[in-house]
Amino acid sequence: MIPAVDQVELHPFFVQEAALENMKAYGVVPQAWGPLAEGKHGIFTDEELVESGKKYNKSAAQVVLRWNAQRGVSIIPKSVHVERMEQNIDIWDFTLTEEEMEKIASKDLGHSEIVDHNDPAFVKMLCGMKIH
C-alpha cells in the first residue's frame, strides 16, 4: 500500500527535489516538517527572503512557507505565538515568481543539518521508538 502523505524535512536549506519527484510519481503528498529550518541559517533575516517579502508585504517566513506550498508541499509550521500562527496561514494572496522560487531553492545544502538519517545511533533511536 502506498502512503497518502510522506512527512519529511523540506525547507530552503534541504530542498529534497528528488524525494519530491518520487512522491509525485507515486501520488504521495509531501508534507514538510521543519519548513522554517528550525530557525537555522538566519532564515527569518535572510536578505533575499526579506527582500522578496517586502515586495509582497510579507515576512521572510511567509515567503518560505509560500515557496513550499507552490512546490506542492503541505506545510505545518510550528508556533506558540498567535501572531505568527496568523502570519503562517496568510500566504495565499501572493505568488512567487519562477526566479524567486529558483533563488530560494539555490540555498540548498544537499543534506539535513537537523537530523542525520545515516547516523547509526539516530536510526537505532528511531527504530526503538514505540508509537502506540
Side-chain angles (χ1 to χ4, degrees), residues 17-80:
E17 204 57 52
L20 291 180
E21 288 300 317
N22 283 335
M23 287 182 236
K24 184 178 179 180
Y26 290 98
V28 176
V29 175
Q31 185 172 71
W33 68 259
L36 297 172
E38 294 187 335
K40 295 180 181 186
H41 299 282
I43 195 166
F44 303 119
T45 57
D46 179 280
E47 189 176 308
E48 291 175 342
L49 298 174
V50 169
E51 196 59 38
S52 287
K54 285 180 184 176
K55 177 179 171 184
Y56 303 106
N57 197 30
K58 300 294 179 182
S59 69
Q62 288 170 303
V63 168
V64 169
L65 295 174
R66 180 63 194 187
W67 168 78
N68 248 335
Q70 277 184 227
R71 297 190 320 143
V73 175
S74 166
I75 47 177
I76 307 177
K78 176 188 163 200
S79 183
V80 296

Side-chain angles (χ1 to χ4, degrees), residues 115-123:
V115 299
D116 181 358
H117 293 277
N118 296 313
D119 174 21
F122 181 75
V123 173

